[in-house]
């Protein structure tokens, strides 16, 4: 599927990987809508790229449904491409100090990361199904964001790893289900990237983290995530798989 002139929806597009993806697709001629809980950030990026912004909490299915409908109206058509980057990176031990459990962290993380991805995928796909197929037979492409933590979860990442593992695990069955409609589904599992969360760390801490990445020995650039998202969209045989994008890193236990 060509990116130029295609309607694209990016969730979490107000910052980090999502913002880089929105900017990259716009630079390739796509019409981009940004869905983000932080509408001010979404509007700022949208203004830079000539796109549009809509607000929603991805953990709320009704809000997601309304936001995608609004985005379709602003774009002039139902998005054929959806890139899910919205998420949170909360950390907590399963049982912490003095026996305190952390189900609240687990619940919130799954609601935003896993349920949110599922809500966006569901409400986007039901609209894509009614689009006319392209010459390739494709009606749409959905790219979800997992994480290397789904395989290499560190201490304190039980909730995060579970949420990202769910995203990776539902990739194949979702692709199989939507195949009848010409909709592809793939996932990217980023490693350690230069996102706002990482940029908030002290320089010496970031340097230590980057030193564990085999090659290139640095944090990933958000634009490199965007490049892979674009390749998934343009390569019609990429379907039902989760791709690690990590410089060959394998996370240690802590």
């Amino acid at each position: 599927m060509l990116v130029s002139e295609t309607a694209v929806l990016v969730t979490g597009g107000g910052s980090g990987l999502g913002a880089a993806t929105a900017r990259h697709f716009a630079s390739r001629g796509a019409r981009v809508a940004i869905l983000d809980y932080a509408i001010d950030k979404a509007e700022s990026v949208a203004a830079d790229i000539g796109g549009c912004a809509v607000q929603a909490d991805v953990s709320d299915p009704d809000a997601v449904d309304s936001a995608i409908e609004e985005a379709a109206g602003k774009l002039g058509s139902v998005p054929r491409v959806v890139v899910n980057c919205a998420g949170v990176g909360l950390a907590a031990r399963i049982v912490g100090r003095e026996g305190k459990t952390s189900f609240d962290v687990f619940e919130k993380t799954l609601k935003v990361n896993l349920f949110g991805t599922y809500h966006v995928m569901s409400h986007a796909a039901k609209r894509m199904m009614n689009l006319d197929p392209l010459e390739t037979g494709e009606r749409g492409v959905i790219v979800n964001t997992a994480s290397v933590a789904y395989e290499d979860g560190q201490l304190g990442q039980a909730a995060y790893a579970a949420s990202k593992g769910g995203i990776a695990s539902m990739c194949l069955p979702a692709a199989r289900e939507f195949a009848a409609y010409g909709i592809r589904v793939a996932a990217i599992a980023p490693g350690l990237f230069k996102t706002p969360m990482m940029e908030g760390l002290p320089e010496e801490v970031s340097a230590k983290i980057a030193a564990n990445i085999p090659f290139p020995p640095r944090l990933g650039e958000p634009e490199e995530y965007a490049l892979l998202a674009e390749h998934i969209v343009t390569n019609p045989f990429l379907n039902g798989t989760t791709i690690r994008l990590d410089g060959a890193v394998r996370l240690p236990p802590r």
Side-chain angles (χ1 to χ4, degrees):
M1 182 182 298
L2 296 176
V3 172
S4 179
E5 298 302 318
T6 297
V8 177
L9 175 70
V10 181
T11 74
S15 63
L17 302 179
T21 300
R23 293 180 189 280
H24 181 77
F25 275 68
S27 75
R28 294 292 195 265
R31 293 174 286 122
V32 180
I34 297 169
L35 186 159
D36 205 301
Y37 184 74
I39 188 62
D40 54 335
K41 293 182 179 180
E43 289 175 339
S44 177
V45 175
D48 288 345
I49 65 175
C52 60
V54 294
Q55 196 274 340
D57 175 355
V58 293
S59 68
D60 181 341
D62 292 334
V64 167
D65 194 23
S66 296
I68 294 177
E69 190 68 23
E70 181 183 350
K74 290 182 175 181
L75 291 171
S77 66
V78 170
R80 283 193 185 269
V81 174
V82 171
V83 184
N84 270 309
C85 293
V88 294
L90 307 178
R93 291 174 182 255
I94 298 169
V95 181
R97 294 180 180 178
E98 300 177 353
K100 185 181 185 305
T101 59
S102 58
F103 181 75
D104 56 334
V105 173
F106 189 86
E107 183 177 39
K108 180 175 181 179
T109 301
L110 263 70
K111 279 185 174 180
V112 175
N113 293 357
L114 181 56
F115 292 8
T117 296
Y118 188 89
H119 295 328
V120 174
M121 180 170 66
S122 301
H123 289 294
K126 76 176 185 180
R127 290 172 168 83
M128 290 178 182
M129 289 174 180
N130 296 317
L131 292 171
D132 292 331
L134 302 175
E135 291 182 1
T136 58
E138 295 173 286
R139 285 187 170 87
V141 182
I142 298 169
V143 181
N144 296 326
T145 303
S147 164
V148 295
Y150 93 94
E151 293 183 319
D152 307 343
Q154 295 181 292
L155 189 152
Q157 283 191 321
Y160 185 71
S163 71
K164 295 301 186 177
I167 291 170
S169 294
M170 71 181 178
C171 183
L172 180 58
R176 286 172 164 169
E177 177 181 339
F178 297 144
Y181 302 95
I183 299 170
R184 293 187 288 116
V185 181
I188 300 174
L192 303 168
F193 271 69
K194 196 182 296 181
T195 59
M197 181 176 68
M198 293 295 293
E199 289 174 344
L201 297 174
E203 187 174 339
E204 62 273 16
V205 175
S206 295
K208 185 178 179 181
I209 291 172
N212 291 322
I213 302 174
F215 189 82
R218 58 167 173 77
L219 297 177
E221 296 288 346
E223 292 76 14
E224 291 166 332
Y225 173 97
L227 282 171
L228 181 53
E230 180 192 17
H231 183 73
I232 291 170
V233 171
T234 58
N235 188 331
F237 211 59
L238 266 175
N239 195 15
T241 193
T242 298
I243 305 169
R244 287 184 65 124
L245 184 64
D246 59 18
V249 75
R250 296 298 180 268
L251 302 182
R254 64 175 72 206

